[in-house]
Amino acid sequence: MDNNNLPRVAYFCMEYGLHPDFKAYAGGLGILAGDHLKGAKDLNLPLVGIGLKWKQGYTDQLIDENGKAYDTYHNYEYDFMQDTGVKVTVKIRDIDVVCKVWKLEEFGNNPLYLLDTDIPENGDNWITGQLYGWFGEERIAQEIVLGIGGVKALRALDIPIDVYHFNEGHAALAATELIKEKMQSGFSFEESWNKTCEEVVFTTHTPIVEGNESHEVSKLEYMGAFNGLTRQQMIRFGGEPFNMTVAGLRLSRKANAVAQLHSLTANKMWKTIAGRSEIIGITNGIHKPTWVDARITNAYENNGDLWANHIIVKKELIGFIKERTGAELDADKLLIGFSRRAAPYKRSDLIFTKEEIISPLLKSGKVQIVFSGKAHPLDDIGKEIVAKLVRMMKKYPNSVVFLENYDMNIGRMLTRGSDIWLNNPRRPLEASGTSGMKAAMNGVLNCSILDGWWPEACNDGVNGWQFGDGLGLDDLPEVELDKHDTQALYDTLINRVMATYYENREKWVEMMKESIKTTSYEFSVERMLDEYYNKMYIK
Ligand SMILES: *Cc1c(COP(=O)(O)O)cnc(C)c1O
């Protein structure tokens, strides 16, 4: 790419996962955003990030002595942020809220500008308190600060922008500010809407209907989210109730889903929305220097001993697990890694469905599993899933481990040091699944349902395994699907994964090489950014 003539992009996101010590992310969305900014830096691309400076970030989720997950929050202070000297004001509930703008470039990322309401000028300083915390009104206030405040911050910082990238619907209110600016310089509402669409691109993330946030229109009005526009105009964007994803689709010139299968799902999901932008697929990618162990890359590239290096990294993970939990795993036995948000469709406990099958394998230690993952703080069903995993840890103390408080650090350790990376969502509800990419590039073999990114990468039995044959919710009712996938998981695990691991090490190492070879560029942030520029940002 010729970087001098590239459009200048402002990337808006509610969360950023840039470093384990910077508590500004909850999960995959934030990790993707952090990697986007790091990739942009590596490639010297004209792109800045806009986000919020969270006081507490997301929950620290720990396990109590009864095996129950509970949430704790701490106030964090950071010394790695620069004060830009810029403040902007947004109106929330008819009160002026001042947002201080910080700049962060500490983690090998392009500039990230973070808005902060926790300053003495504000009576209401709770807005940037907890990432995804509390309820509807707070969320709307956060979205006003991110979207409307974000555009105002770019103006006050004097950063010229050609393309506004709304990463997820959280940022959709930014469009009200872009429209308002144009109306103030004399354009009609319709003209301003059209012109705004021309400069906005939008990424949709979740195939779970409830994950696509919506708000009562009257609540938006009360909070001040109309930003001078009328009720009828707002409803034309987001419908009634006002859906943030629908608004994103109607306020952009182009939209994308985060894997090819996800683009099919998203197009189906939003089929009936009139006046929406086209949804293409741009599969996520990861920032290799963040996620891939240099020893593994070296061994692979220089024909070194890949297995020996894998064992070194695996032993580091085993040491980390011992430190955290006291459990002692065996480096000579198969280690399955699994970490996902604890939500029912991810089926974290699927492997325990038939204990008569899995129990002997766990007791003999031939199968060891390390789990991690948080439940959403308000999700009791998710917390019950965590409790079940913890019960299994107590029952099989030498072969099942649950690591509390999943974060980037745990994510890094698990996707390097496991032998296989298991993923068994109900297809097609996993949008992308970047943890599998991290694993693949570390030579950790994916063993996964054909969902998210995996159908694009999987060469079954060559660079990893698929199970479940690509069946999904459209083919079978949930109960039948779960039954089918459980059987498929056991078949694959026992007859293919374990057989190869314990009886054909040479083939295993061949598969590791194949995994690294077939994913390292295809699922890198470089490839992803190339596509964002060529298919979304450049007109
Ligand atoms: C990579 C990563 C994710 C995203 O992975 P998924 O495959 O989408 O679950 C989430 N959280 C952390 C801490 C990660 O490192």
Side-chain angles (χ1 to χ4, degrees):
M1 282 186 274
D2 171 8
N3 293 17
N4 294 320
N5 294 317
L6 290 175
R8 296 158 297 187
V9 179
Y11 182 90
F12 285 67
C13 190
M14 203 50 119
E15 49 170 307
Y16 289 88
L18 285 162
H19 189 275
D21 294 339
F22 178 50
K23 313 281 184 182
Y25 66 95
L29 178 69
I31 303 294
L32 178 74
D35 282 6
H36 202 102
L37 295 190
K38 288 175 182 172
K41 171 81 174 181
D42 295 348
L43 297 171
N44 191 25
L45 299 171
L47 179 147
V48 298
I50 298 288
L52 301 187
K53 179 187 173 289
W54 297 106
K55 190 183 178 75
Q56 303 188 322
Y58 196 55
T59 172
D60 278 320
Q61 194 168 81
L62 307 178
I63 307 298
D64 70 17
E65 62 273 23
N66 301 315
K68 254 188 81 127
Y70 67 98
D71 297 289
T72 61
Y73 296 88
H74 308 278
N75 294 341
Y76 291 100
E77 304 282 342
Y78 304 113
D79 56 10
F80 44 69
M81 267 184 232
Q82 305 151 40
D83 184 350
T84 62
V86 165
K87 287 178 183 170
V88 296
T89 304
V90 293
K91 253 198 185 353
I92 294 176
R93 292 193 191 112
D94 228 17
I95 295 168
D96 280 339
V97 174
V98 182
C99 312
K100 182 181 170 76
V101 184
W102 300 89
K103 184 181 187 184
L104 174 66
E105 295 181 285
E106 176 77 4
F107 302 114
N109 56 290
N110 260 15
L112 170 59
Y113 295 96
L114 296 163
L115 284 78
D116 178 12
T117 64
D118 185 23
I119 52 175
E121 286 97 316
N122 294 326
D124 277 339
N125 56 11
W126 43 265
I127 298 171
T128 54
Q130 271 180 19
L131 173 58
Y132 305 138
W134 307 307
F135 301 96
E137 287 191 11
E138 288 85 356
R139 180 67 66 86
I140 293 168
Q142 292 162 353
E143 290 170 343
I144 291 172
V145 174
L146 176 70
I148 299 170
V151 172
K152 288 185 171 181
L154 289 164
R155 302 296 180 256
L157 292 159
D158 207 13
I159 300 175
I161 295 299
D162 303 304
V163 177
Y164 300 83
H165 181 173
F166 300 170
N167 190 39
E168 224 282 339
H170 301 132
L173 296 175
T176 65
E177 184 64 16
L178 297 172
I179 289 172
K180 191 168 130 186
E181 285 177 340
K182 292 171 185 62
M183 289 173 74
Q184 279 167 351
S185 57
F187 292 102
S188 71
F189 168 73
E190 299 294 335
E191 287 166 336
S192 302
W193 181 359
N194 285 331
K195 282 176 179 295
T196 294
C197 285
E198 283 308 306
E199 55 188 11
V200 173
V201 299
F202 171 64
T203 303
T204 180
H205 281 269
T206 177
I208 306 289
V209 176
E210 309 81 58
N212 291 273
E213 189 182 306
S214 62
H215 302 293
E216 280 168 45
V217 175
S218 54
K219 199 185 271 180
L220 284 178
E221 180 169 32
Y222 160 73
M223 293 300 290
F226 288 9
N227 198 19
L229 299 180
T230 68
R231 184 183 181 90
Q232 278 319 308
Q233 288 167 344
M234 291 298 284
I235 291 171
R236 286 178 65 189
F237 307 148
E240 199 172 7
F242 188 95
N243 185 288
M244 299 298 280
T245 305
V246 171
L249 290 169
R250 285 184 177 147
L251 289 162
S252 55
R253 69 167 187 244
K254 210 164 184 184
N256 75 292
V258 292
Q260 305 311 312
L261 176 60
H262 180 219
S263 78
L264 300 179
T265 313
N267 273 295
K268 231 186 258 175
M269 205 169 158
W270 306 112
K271 193 170 59 188
T272 61
I273 302 302
R276 70 165 171 86
S277 53
E278 171 194 10
I279 306 173
I280 64 167
I282 297 183
T283 304
N284 286 343
I286 59 161
H287 184 249
K288 266 176 72 177
T290 299
W291 300 108
V292 183
D293 195 291
R295 291 165 293 185
I296 297 291
T297 306
N298 270 339
Y300 170 74
E301 285 175 355
N302 303 313
N303 237 337
D305 190 337
L306 194 54
W307 182 255
N309 279 283
H310 170 66
I311 289 296
I312 291 170
V313 178
K314 183 177 179 181
K315 284 183 172 162
E316 286 173 4
L317 169 61
I318 287 174
F320 176 81
I321 289 169
K322 169 130 203 269
E323 222 171 81
R324 293 258 175 134
T325 68
E328 275 192 71
L329 301 184
D330 182 345
D332 294 328
K333 302 278 172 63
L334 180 73
L335 178 53
I336 301 177
F338 187 107
S339 67
R340 305 276 151 191
R341 194 159 49 80
Y345 77 92
K346 306 240 185 194
R347 302 188 297 192
S348 307
D349 53 355
L350 191 77
I351 198 166
F352 298 121
T353 308
K354 289 192 176 171
E355 256 196 283
E356 69 275 20
I357 296 179
I358 197 71
S359 175
L361 302 175
L362 296 172
K363 280 186 179 144
S364 69
K366 284 213 142 183
V367 170
Q368 311 173 99
I369 318 174
V370 52
F371 289 98
S372 193
K374 292 172 180 170
H376 185 280
L378 303 175
D379 178 9
D380 290 333
I381 300 172
K383 288 190 176 170
E384 183 40 49
I385 295 170
V386 171
K388 174 153 186 203
L389 300 178
V390 174
R391 283 200 298 278
M392 289 299 162
M393 167 164 79
K394 290 187 172 151
K395 192 160 175 187
Y396 304 100
N398 300 316
S399 43
V400 178
V401 175
F402 181 85
L403 294 173
E404 65 185 358
N405 208 23
Y406 182 42
D407 68 353
M408 283 180 78
N409 195 26
I410 295 178
R412 261 161 65 106
M413 296 299 295
L414 294 188
T415 54
R416 292 169 183 219
S418 303
D419 292 309
I420 68 167
W421 194 247
L422 178 63
N423 190 19
N424 46 232
R426 280 191 197 113
R427 192 175 190 265
L429 299 180
E430 176 94 295
S432 179
T434 54
S435 62
M437 301 172 188
K438 301 168 193 166
M441 292 183 208
N442 277 304
V444 173
L445 300 177
N446 278 268
C447 178
S448 170
I449 294 278
L450 284 170
D451 203 5
W453 74 293
W454 189 231
E456 295 166 48
C458 176
N459 188 351
D460 189 32
V462 177
N463 65 355
W465 295 272
Q466 73 82 24
F467 60 92
D469 309 316
L471 293 191
L473 293 177
D474 289 348
D475 311 302
L476 293 171
E478 231 169 66
V479 183
E480 292 301 315
L481 181 66
D482 289 354
K483 232 190 245 173
H484 170 269
D485 288 347
T486 304
Q487 197 50 50
L489 167 58
Y490 291 138
D491 284 346
T492 294
L493 179 63
I494 295 166
N495 300 322
R496 303 204 290 155
V497 176
M498 292 178 67
T500 312
Y501 186 85
Y502 288 111
E503 287 153 35
N504 194 347
R505 183 62 42 82
E506 208 173 306
K507 176 168 182 218
W508 189 277
V509 175
E510 264 325 295
M511 289 183 72
M512 290 175 68
K513 287 183 187 160
E514 208 50 40
S515 170
I516 297 168
K517 178 172 144 197
T518 53
T519 57
S520 292
Y521 176 74
E522 260 333 284
F523 301 95
S524 68
V525 78
E526 285 85 357
R527 189 275 307 147
M528 179 183 85
L529 281 166
D530 190 71
E531 283 196 66
Y532 272 106
Y533 274 87
N534 286 308
K535 297 182 179 170
M536 301 281 280
Y537 300 161
I538 298 171
K539 259 198 226 179

